[in-house]
Amino acid sequence: MSSAQNQPEGRQFTDEELQDLVASADSGGRDPSNRAVALLIAVVAFAWSAFQIWIADLQFQWAQHIPFVRVIGSDMTRPMHLTFALFLAFLAYPAFKTSPRRYIPWYDWILAVLAAGCAFYIFWFARELSSTARSGLPTQQQIIVGTIGLVLLLEASRRALGPALTIVGGIFLAYSYFGQGWLIPDLIAHQGRNFEAIINTQWLSTEGVFGIPLGVSTAFVFLFVLFGALLDKAGAGNYFIKMAFAGLGHLRGGPAKAAVVGSGATGLISGSSIANVVTTGTFTIPLMKRVGFTSEKAGAVEVSSSVNGQIMPPVMGAAAFLMVEFVGISYLEVIKHAFIPAVISYIALIYIVHLEALKNGIPALGQGASLLQMLLKTAIGFVVAGAAFYGVIAAIGFLRDVAPAISGPVILIALLGIYLACLWVASGRPELELDDPNNKKIVLPVMREVVPTGLHFILPIVVLVWFLMVERQSPAKSAYFAVLVMLFIILTQRPIKALMRGEGNIIGELRRGVGDLVDGMITGARNMIGIAVATGAAGVIVATVTRTPIGTELAGLVELLAFGNLFLMLLLVGLFSLVLGLGLPTTANYIVVSSLMASVVVSLGAQEGLLVPLIAAHLFVFYFGLMADVTPPVGLASFAASAVSGGDPIKTGFQAFFYSLRTLALPFLFIYNPTLILYGVDLGTTAGVLQAVLIFFIATFAMLLFAAATQGYFLARSKLHESVALLLVAFTLFVPNFWLDRIQPEFERMAGTSFEEVLSAAAPGDQLRLEIRGPDFATGQMRSTTLVLDVDDTPGAQRLADTGLFLMPEDDRMVLDEPMFGSPFQRALGGYDFYGRQQVELQYVLRPADRMPEQLFYIPALLLLFGVILLQRRRQTQPAF
């Protein structure tokens, strides 16, 4: 991306330069002219994809039948994954922008072999390492290999991702080694670790480079990236963009709305905001400019929608899979929590574009259409699709009950029949061609003509969702089956359509299908180079956090800077996440900010009596870290958009940041009201589903009002007091409990000495809170925290014993001894000193208070909204939708 940043402002890149921009950022900008070298890179990339498909499931199947085939575990798959990535990184990414791109210098060959060899060493000597280095007895040879490997990994990170992650990783290694100094605050200082111990942790063990982040990249991320590459190579990317323009192009600001939806759809499969900007932006940005958007606003719309693709399930820029490991919940739970914020953020962005069109009098392309009618049709389409999906679930369930022995073959035959039927429909239509956005005559696609041409692209997505949601398979297994379906489609779609059309060149079309498959496998692997290197390098930071005090004491530093104010603490954490994410791709970005900041949000909230779910904290830092792709001075996606639009990159970045305010507001909202991420909502019950639907509609309505307030336009241009009123209404709809807490306390506060009595009398399902105060084990300073105790149907006399708490009443105080090992609160209270001069005390027990429903505050909010509507109706000059 550095090349983009150094270009003169206002310059519009050519198509060739844009493709080079994407390649430089995502797959490597080197394109060797020597056919043998180019073939070697392609073969290694293809082999990497084949290896990933093999370890996903095939090795388990073949090992049952072939004696010499054995299953390899994560201690070997992770090093092999990084071996491929490092070898390709030094061959595909030039060292500097002045380095040759048409050939590979001799020193890059040496570095590629050395780096890959250091990773392959961990693969080949996995058993020996388990009895030496991983038992705390590394050999001198292992230390040398680890040192070289770590240095070359950071260099590969610099080449593939820019200097940000390399610098951060270097700082963390220096902090781990020195431990103290004038640059290191006393709060996080430590004695320092010796060189051999650092190398052992970072390269030879499974804590650092070969830890959880790289494991997620190996097991999950690669298959999803490969799936996206195959879909795009098959033509699904162009199909989604055509669908977006067919559905939205006729509306006011239609190209911008289509950019939002098209970028959202491609963002689901691309995993890269930069590639997303260039892929969809080359078509959408020129059209936005032609209907009246400035270069900066056109670029900003594309940036906002492309970056938003990274918060949209199921992939979320690979963060969804990392959250599974870091938070300790299932993949489906992550999707459940992330879905509503992502969807309402996209809906609000479409509305922001609509308001821009109204403010600036931007017309529709061709005959105008109604946004409300489009939304209604979309809602009906979702309902019909949902009903059909549940019908298929019921039919397959019935088949498995009636004839379990033949259910598998019948389902496969039915899937094949549907696929052939989709191809038969598609064969009756001409192939979708890429449109020229600079064509003087704009012809928008027609939905009924576009939809039939790519129905078969929906099948692998349905297979993915089916295995994830219905079969409850792991993300890796689900992606594996989706990739197999995609491989079959990309190989057969061309020859089958040629056969159905009566064309004679079936062998030629089959060869083209094989070519598409090979290209897709190679593209998927090359797109993974940066992600694999990023997760490996980010593992350095994760290991440092776990091996030094910075992970536990950072909360104290943030609290000190925020003067104990919770909202200011959240602002600081958000700012830190934004700064830490500068210049980092989505995956590395999330690993870095979550490792440092997620636990800070939870612990600081607990100290202030706000119990923040861990998933909410992870989503909070993820959202803020992701905004680094938008925000100047780095803003990689903004620079990419300005390269397409010819606009000023800094102005584009600031405009995109302004459009993204809704995305920055969401993290604060679901910290204070976790029901927005469906926390505590049981979707397995009818009541839970209805509650989720209600939350979605209320949150969507509130977010639209927030968008109107920040854009200064609702039914007409808003005056300052009207914008403030809209913000107040939106806030009340989002967090009605804020006002209720001002009037009636949420909990009844009782002395700690009454804990046993309150616990015995509590009804099953009640939730008690315990306010604990005592000396910190590390600093000796007094600190407080709040614990949650969910009351179950255990008999009252047994409940206290089940908590694992040891109570020692002293006069009017309830003193605590160290909790029983393995008990629910043992880890939560592990940071307290139970053997110091000052004692740990249970100060208060809080039980839910009886109070009025929080939804009553919707009434004054809606009345205030009605007042704003009355005021603006007098000035309204055009329809609101």
Side-chain angles (χ1 to χ4, degrees):
M1 279 307 303
S2 59
S3 62
Q5 297 180 29
N6 293 330
Q7 295 295 335
E9 292 181 0
R11 181 188 166 196
Q12 190 164 350
F13 282 29
T14 64
D15 288 342
E16 185 177 346
E17 288 174 317
L18 289 173
Q19 294 308 314
D20 181 63
L21 182 65
V22 177
S24 299
D26 289 330
S27 59
R30 189 172 274 150
D31 184 19
S33 56
N34 186 304
R35 292 189 63 184
V37 174
L39 181 62
L40 174 66
I41 293 175
V43 168
V44 173
F46 185 90
W48 189 10
S49 291
F51 170 76
Q52 295 292 153
I53 295 173
W54 170 262
I55 64 173
D57 190 68
L58 288 177
Q59 64 167 339
F60 302 102
Q61 304 299 325
W62 285 70
Q64 299 175 6
H65 308 291
I66 302 178
F68 62 83
V69 174
R70 68 186 184 93
V71 176
I72 58 176
S74 61
D75 61 330
M76 300 178 75
T77 57
R78 294 177 188 181
M80 200 64 206
H81 180 79
L82 191 61
T83 299
F84 281 112
L86 288 175
F87 185 76
L88 290 172
F90 283 102
L91 297 186
Y93 288 88
F96 305 101
K97 61 181 179 181
T98 56
S99 298
R101 297 193 171 207
R102 302 298 291 172
Y103 69 92
I104 300 174
W106 62 268
Y107 53 83
D108 277 354
W109 284 107
I110 295 175
L111 293 177
V113 172
L114 266 178
C118 290
F120 189 75
Y121 180 92
I122 307 299
F123 168 84
W124 193 255
F125 294 101
R127 291 186 179 179
E128 181 181 329
L129 285 167
S130 65
S131 60
T132 54
R134 291 169 188 171
S135 299
L137 301 169
T139 65
Q140 189 65 30
Q141 181 190 59
Q142 292 168 350
I143 295 297
I144 293 172
V145 170
T147 304
I148 296 173
L150 195 57
V151 171
L152 292 181
L153 172 64
L154 293 177
E155 166 59 13
S157 170
R158 184 195 67 80
R159 293 186 180 206
L161 312 168
L165 185 56
T166 302
I167 292 172
V168 173
I171 291 172
F172 271 77
L173 287 172
Y175 164 71
S176 184
Y177 180 75
F178 293 106
Q180 50 193 313
W182 65 276
L183 286 174
I184 301 175
D186 291 339
L187 191 63
I188 60 173
H190 63 102
Q191 293 299 315
R193 305 183 67 218
N194 64 58
F195 182 80
E196 288 77 10
I198 291 174
I199 297 301
N200 189 17
T201 299
Q202 298 290 2
W203 192 266
L204 303 175
S205 75
T206 56
E207 292 181 59
V209 171
F210 300 101
I212 288 176
L214 189 67
V216 171
S217 176
T218 306
F220 304 144
V221 180
F222 192 104
L223 289 174
F224 277 87
V225 171
L226 178 60
F227 177 65
L230 292 171
L231 260 178
D232 186 60
K233 190 61 65 175
N238 185 42
Y239 176 69
F240 291 148
I241 294 174
K242 292 273 192 179
M243 288 268 287
F245 270 88
L248 299 166
H250 296 280
L251 304 174
R252 278 181 175 269
K257 291 171 183 171
V260 174
V261 176
S263 295
T266 54
L268 295 177
I269 61 175
S270 74
S272 167
S273 53
I274 299 166
N276 205 349
V277 165
V278 175
T279 301
T280 60
T282 50
F283 183 67
T284 59
I285 288 176
L287 284 180
M288 282 189 266
K289 290 169 66 176
R290 288 180 65 179
V291 298
F293 285 86
T294 65
S295 296
E296 287 74 22
K297 286 189 175 182
V301 169
E302 184 59 50
V303 168
S304 300
S305 52
S306 295
V307 171
N308 250 53
Q310 305 299 287
I311 68 173
M312 181 67 76
V315 179
M316 296 168 61
F321 314 118
L322 290 160
M323 285 181 191
V324 170
E325 301 294 331
F326 290 165
V327 182
I329 60 178
S330 71
Y331 177 75
L332 287 179
E333 284 290 307
V334 172
I335 301 303
K336 165 189 167 182
H337 295 312
F339 183 73
I340 284 183
V343 172
I344 65 174
S345 184
Y346 258 113
I347 293 173
L349 184 55
I350 292 175
Y351 186 55
I352 286 173
V353 168
H354 181 72
L355 293 176
E356 281 283 2
L358 291 177
K359 277 195 298 184
N360 298 291
I362 295 175
L365 285 174
Q367 186 177 356
S370 168
L371 178 62
L372 284 178
Q373 287 182 2
M374 184 276 298
L375 291 175
L376 180 61
K377 290 178 181 178
T378 303
I380 293 173
F382 273 112
V383 171
V384 172
F389 191 69
Y390 277 105
V392 171
I393 293 175
I396 291 179
F398 177 76
L399 175 63
R400 285 175 173 171
D401 291 338
V402 174
I406 63 169
S407 60
V410 169
I411 292 171
L412 282 177
I413 292 171
L415 192 62
L416 180 61
I418 294 171
Y419 171 60
L420 293 175
C422 290
L423 287 185
W424 182 77
V425 171
S427 66
R429 308 287 195 286
E431 296 291 331
L432 292 179
E433 300 291 338
L434 290 172
D435 291 325
D436 180 7
N438 299 309
N439 195 326
K440 292 183 179 180
K441 183 179 180 181
I442 301 174
V443 180
L444 290 174
V446 179
M447 185 67 78
R448 64 176 177 272
E449 296 176 359
V450 173
V451 171
T453 62
L455 287 173
H456 54 290
F457 295 137
I458 309 297
L459 283 179
I461 298 175
V462 170
V463 169
L464 176 64
V465 173
W466 179 271
F467 279 101
L468 282 173
M469 307 292 290
V470 181
E471 301 290 340
R472 299 297 180 100
Q473 296 283 348
S474 68
K477 185 64 71 70
S478 303
Y480 166 74
F481 286 120
V483 165
L484 289 186
V485 174
M486 200 60 240
L487 290 173
F488 179 75
I489 289 176
I490 202 171
L491 189 64
T492 61
Q493 63 169 344
R494 290 182 183 276
I496 292 177
K497 282 198 284 188
L499 182 64
M500 290 177 172
R501 288 170 178 160
E503 299 173 355
N505 191 22
I506 296 175
I507 299 299
E509 293 297 324
L510 180 60
R511 288 174 180 165
R512 290 182 63 189
V514 172
D516 288 342
L517 186 149
V518 172
D519 286 347
M521 296 275 280
I522 294 170
T523 301
R526 293 197 62 160
N527 288 346
M528 268 300 300
I529 298 172
I531 297 175
V533 169
T535 51
V540 171
I541 297 161
V542 175
T544 304
V545 169
T546 58
R547 287 281 185 159
T548 61
I550 192 171
T552 55
E553 301 302 334
L554 197 60
L557 181 61
V558 174
E559 183 182 18
L560 186 67
L561 293 174
F563 306 105
N565 182 279
L566 181 60
F567 184 74
L568 188 55
M569 289 177 198
L570 290 174
L571 280 178
L572 280 174
V573 170
L575 180 62
F576 286 159
S577 301
L578 190 63
V579 172
L580 287 168
L582 291 175
L584 297 180
T586 305
T587 311
N589 175 320
Y590 169 68
I591 295 170
V592 172
V593 298
S594 64
S595 299
L596 290 172
M597 292 288 137
S599 60
V600 173
V601 175
V602 175
S603 59
L604 293 180
Q607 290 180 33
E608 297 299 317
L610 178 66
L611 297 174
V612 180
L614 186 56
I615 181 63
H618 276 260
L619 287 172
F620 181 92
V621 298
F622 174 58
Y623 272 49
F624 268 94
L626 200 58
M627 284 300 104
D629 255 2
V630 177
T631 314
V634 180
L636 302 181
S638 297
F639 278 97
S642 66
V644 179
S645 69
D648 183 294
I650 301 298
K651 290 180 180 178
T652 300
F654 278 115
Q655 186 66 53
F657 182 80
F658 186 62
Y659 286 156
S660 300
L661 283 176
R662 75 207 186 284
T663 308
L664 288 179
L666 277 170
F668 289 98
L669 296 171
F670 54 63
I671 287 290
Y672 284 100
N673 185 11
T675 55
L676 289 174
I677 58 172
L678 299 183
Y679 185 79
V681 177
D682 185 4
L683 296 182
T685 64
T686 302
V689 172
L690 292 176
Q691 183 184 0
V693 171
L694 181 63
I695 290 170
F696 173 76
F697 280 110
I698 292 175
T700 301
F701 185 54
M703 184 54 73
L704 295 181
L705 294 177
F706 179 85
T710 55
Q711 291 302 304
Y713 195 100
F714 186 36
L715 303 181
R717 290 188 181 273
S718 298
K719 297 179 179 178
L720 179 60
H721 63 276
E722 292 171 341
S723 293
V724 171
L726 290 174
L727 284 175
L728 191 59
V729 174
F731 177 77
T732 302
L733 294 177
F734 271 125
V735 195
N737 57 302
F738 175 84
W739 304 111
L740 182 57
D741 291 344
R742 308 282 84 78
I743 298 174
Q744 293 180 317
E746 184 178 2
F747 295 96
E748 180 183 354
R749 186 184 297 264
M750 308 179 71
T753 52
S754 65
F755 172 55
E756 191 170 0
E757 177 186 347
V758 172
L759 180 60
S760 299
D766 284 353
Q767 188 181 78
L768 305 180
R769 298 193 179 194
L770 312 179
E771 291 189 0
I772 311 292
R773 182 171 176 80
D776 186 274
F777 186 82
T779 65
Q781 300 294 319
M782 297 296 288
R783 66 181 179 91
S784 301
T785 192
T786 303
L787 305 178
V788 176
L789 176 58
D790 292 310
V791 180
D792 55 21
D793 55 1
T794 303
Q798 188 182 336
R799 289 174 180 172
L800 179 60
D802 289 349
T803 65
L805 295 174
F806 291 113
L807 307 181
M808 300 186 297
E810 290 187 3
D811 299 326
D812 59 345
R813 302 168 62 220
M814 182 63 77
V815 177
L816 296 179
D817 200 352
E818 188 171 9
M820 183 184 298
F821 182 79
S823 63
F825 297 124
Q826 185 258 334
R827 183 177 179 183
L829 298 176
Y832 283 95
D833 184 1
F834 288 91
Y835 304 101
R837 297 173 60 184
Q838 294 176 299
Q839 295 173 308
V840 180
E841 181 184 351
L842 171 56
Q843 288 190 307
Y844 299 103
V845 180
L846 286 73
R847 63 182 179 189
D850 292 329
R851 56 182 192 163
M852 70 179 76
E854 62 183 24
Q855 289 78 12
L856 288 176
F857 289 92
Y858 291 163
I859 297 174
L862 294 176
L863 289 175
L864 181 58
L865 175 62
F866 184 68
V868 173
I869 291 173
L870 289 179
L871 290 174
Q872 294 207 355
R873 283 280 292 175
R874 301 174 184 176
R875 307 195 304 273
Q876 185 178 2
T877 58
Q878 54 188 332
F881 293 98

